[in-house]
Amino acid sequence: MTSDLAQIWESPGVKGNFKFTDRESFRLFVEGMKGLLTYEQSAEPEGLRTAETKLAKCVAQYPRDVLPQFYLGVVKVFRGYDGVGDAVRVFESFASGNVPELRAPAMYNLASAYIENYTPESLDRARYWLNKCIAELGKAASPERLTLRFQAEVVLLFYEIRQQLWVKRKDPRDALKAEIDHVAPDLDRKLNEFLKKLNAATKIPATAREVIMADYWNDRGLLEEFQAWTASDDKTEKELAQTSVRSYERSLELKVNWIPPKSNMARVYEDLLGDFDFAIKCWREVQQTRPGDNYAEYMLGRLFEKRGDEASAISHYKQAPHIPEAGKKLAEIYEKLGRRDEATVIWSNILAKHPGDKDALAAQLRLSFPTPTPASSAPPKV
């Protein structure tokens, strides 16, 4: 959290828009914040559940109190897919609202919410709001606003690395000459410049610096992961994969059980190092931090499918309704097992939502099912 909580904790009589209706409102808020801080420090799900329960009760009973609404939005971001919609509504309101102190933090958290969806459209929205946040902050002077600026900048670097490099990592190496020779070195330079600027910013508190550095090492790990995928020989690939793992580990040292680097590290162990057992261990740890995490379920499904354990793969794919590829993988297994009716239902649902989906259209030819009526934006049933 980037705002100065010291004042908030001292008294319910905080100046300006941050007043609380009464002591009960403030008590619920403090209990919720304790749960949120516990989750941020230890990633224990119980802390997040406490935060959501107390803050939701506070918002319901005291709808005019500002801070409980804001931090309930933060909790919704931490919940992942299930909370993104609520978080977006909360922070869009604050980003355009009449509480100047919370506009920039709302923009940053709105970007964080959009990132949780990991679709091209949502990531572009995240980039938009990060740039808006940086513009809103301007030449930030206070430690809190300067910290938020650095947080926005390091997440913006994540976006650039992901969209300009990482998403292309599996393309033929010959098609990535510009990315390998120019884009990757340029983003490496930007990371170095960011670190130099951060080290020179003496006003940033130590705890906030650790959070920013966790993002920095996650960014660097993602860049190194791309470099491993595009290495010129197997030896260099393995060396860069291990370097990437070390960067993700450094991120986790600064932010315990943080889902992004833990997920990224699991993926490297699976895709580049071939250590399925350790990858499964990492994904299980992600599930402990965020029970029901769709991406973890999808990746576990992939791992078990690679092992030939189709029953376990089916079980995990069915628990990832927000991951479009999970539905496709599930349908493919059903086809392989001769369960044509179940496969047809999934492919039909996908085609209803995405009429131009090439995989679903190919399945329609194979399975000879009729063109479905276009559906709403609900996730495909699996």
Side-chain angles (χ1 to χ4, degrees):
M1 288 167 289
T2 56
S3 59
D4 185 0
L5 290 178
Q7 288 184 325
I8 298 171
W9 286 81
E10 287 174 1
S11 167
V14 181
K15 295 180 181 179
N17 292 292
F18 297 154
K19 292 180 180 179
F20 291 82
T21 299
D22 55 29
R23 291 187 177 277
E24 175 62 12
S25 169
F26 185 66
R27 183 187 68 79
L28 287 169
F29 174 70
V30 170
E31 290 178 356
M33 292 303 294
K34 285 180 178 178
L36 184 55
L37 290 170
T38 296
Y39 179 78
E40 289 187 322
Q41 292 166 1
S42 66
E44 289 294 330
E46 184 58 36
L48 195 63
R49 284 193 289 270
T50 297
E52 185 168 20
T53 299
K54 298 297 182 179
L55 290 172
K57 184 176 181 180
C58 190
V59 168
Q61 294 183 2
Y62 305 95
R64 294 185 179 181
D65 292 359
V66 172
L67 288 175
Q69 296 177 41
F70 186 90
Y71 283 104
L72 182 58
V74 173
V75 169
K76 297 295 186 180
V77 174
F78 281 129
R79 282 199 47 207
Y81 291 105
D82 293 337
V84 165
D86 290 336
V88 166
R89 285 188 288 273
V90 168
F91 292 124
E92 280 184 342
S93 175
F94 278 108
S96 59
N98 59 357
V99 186
E101 300 93 334
L102 293 180
R103 272 202 294 267
M107 292 171 183
Y108 172 81
N109 281 286
L110 187 52
S112 299
Y114 276 117
I115 286 173
E116 285 292 332
N117 272 334
Y118 284 101
T119 66
E121 297 78 14
S122 68
L123 288 166
D124 285 345
R125 294 298 295 165
R127 182 190 186 194
Y128 169 82
W129 283 109
L130 288 168
N131 281 318
K132 288 275 286 184
C133 174
I134 292 168
E136 175 78 15
L137 290 166
K139 294 183 178 179
S142 71
E144 296 77 30
R145 291 176 74 81
L146 184 61
T147 295
L148 184 57
R149 184 181 179 91
F150 273 105
Q151 287 178 319
E153 288 178 356
V154 76
V155 177
L156 201 53
L157 279 170
F158 162 82
Y159 172 90
E160 292 183 20
I161 294 167
R162 188 186 190 281
Q163 298 304 94
Q164 294 183 43
L165 295 177
W166 185 84
V167 296
K168 304 175 184 178
R169 68 196 185 283
K170 296 183 181 181
D171 292 355
R173 192 174 188 277
D174 292 345
L176 296 173
K177 183 173 175 57
E179 285 79 3
I180 294 168
D181 294 344
H182 302 291
V183 180
D186 182 58
L187 287 169
D188 180 73
R189 176 185 57 79
K190 286 184 178 181
L191 281 171
N192 290 333
E193 289 175 353
F194 175 85
L195 184 60
K196 183 178 180 181
K197 187 168 65 171
L198 178 63
N199 288 336
T202 56
K203 289 183 179 180
I204 295 179
T207 53
R209 188 178 299 273
E210 288 183 356
V211 172
I212 296 168
M213 285 301 299
D215 269 296
Y216 167 83
W217 285 114
N218 187 53
D219 288 359
R220 184 157 287 287
L222 204 65
L223 174 59
E224 292 158 349
E225 186 180 343
F226 168 81
Q227 292 171 323
W229 272 98
T230 56
S232 58
D233 57 78
D234 291 345
K235 181 175 181 293
T236 305
E237 176 187 309
K238 292 295 186 267
E239 288 174 349
L240 285 167
Q242 291 288 0
T243 301
S244 175
V245 165
R246 285 194 291 274
S247 291
Y248 293 139
E249 287 174 341
R250 294 187 75 169
S251 179
L252 287 163
E253 287 169 4
L254 295 164
K255 205 168 178 180
V256 177
N257 288 330
W258 188 30
I259 289 174
K262 180 76 74 173
S263 301
N264 293 339
M265 187 164 65
R267 187 181 55 245
V268 171
Y269 272 106
E270 176 186 351
D271 292 342
L272 292 168
L273 297 175
D275 189 339
F276 288 9
D277 288 339
F278 197 85
I280 290 173
K281 176 178 179 293
C282 290
W283 289 121
R284 295 295 192 204
E285 290 171 356
V286 168
Q287 288 181 314
Q288 289 174 8
T289 301
R290 183 186 284 169
D293 182 80
N294 273 231
Y295 190 58
E297 294 288 355
Y298 167 64
M299 295 299 284
L300 282 166
R302 278 197 350 167
L303 281 159
F304 283 109
E305 186 178 2
K306 287 179 180 179
R307 283 185 159 182
D309 185 349
E310 290 161 341
S312 294
I314 287 171
S315 175
H316 287 293
Y317 286 145
K318 290 176 75 172
Q319 298 303 315
H322 293 287
I323 307 293
E325 287 301 318
K328 292 182 179 182
K329 290 283 190 180
L330 182 58
E332 288 169 359
I333 293 178
Y334 283 153
E335 282 192 63
K336 180 181 175 182
L337 297 176
R339 296 161 65 172
R340 291 173 58 92
D341 290 347
E342 290 163 287
T344 297
V345 169
I346 296 172
W347 286 123
S348 182
N349 281 322
I350 293 172
L351 197 58
K353 186 178 179 183
H354 304 288
D357 188 283
K358 293 180 180 179
D359 296 325
L361 288 170
Q364 186 180 30
L365 289 175
R366 289 195 307 272
L367 301 172
S368 302
F369 60 84
T371 300
T373 303
S376 67
S377 58
K381 296 179 181 178
V382 296

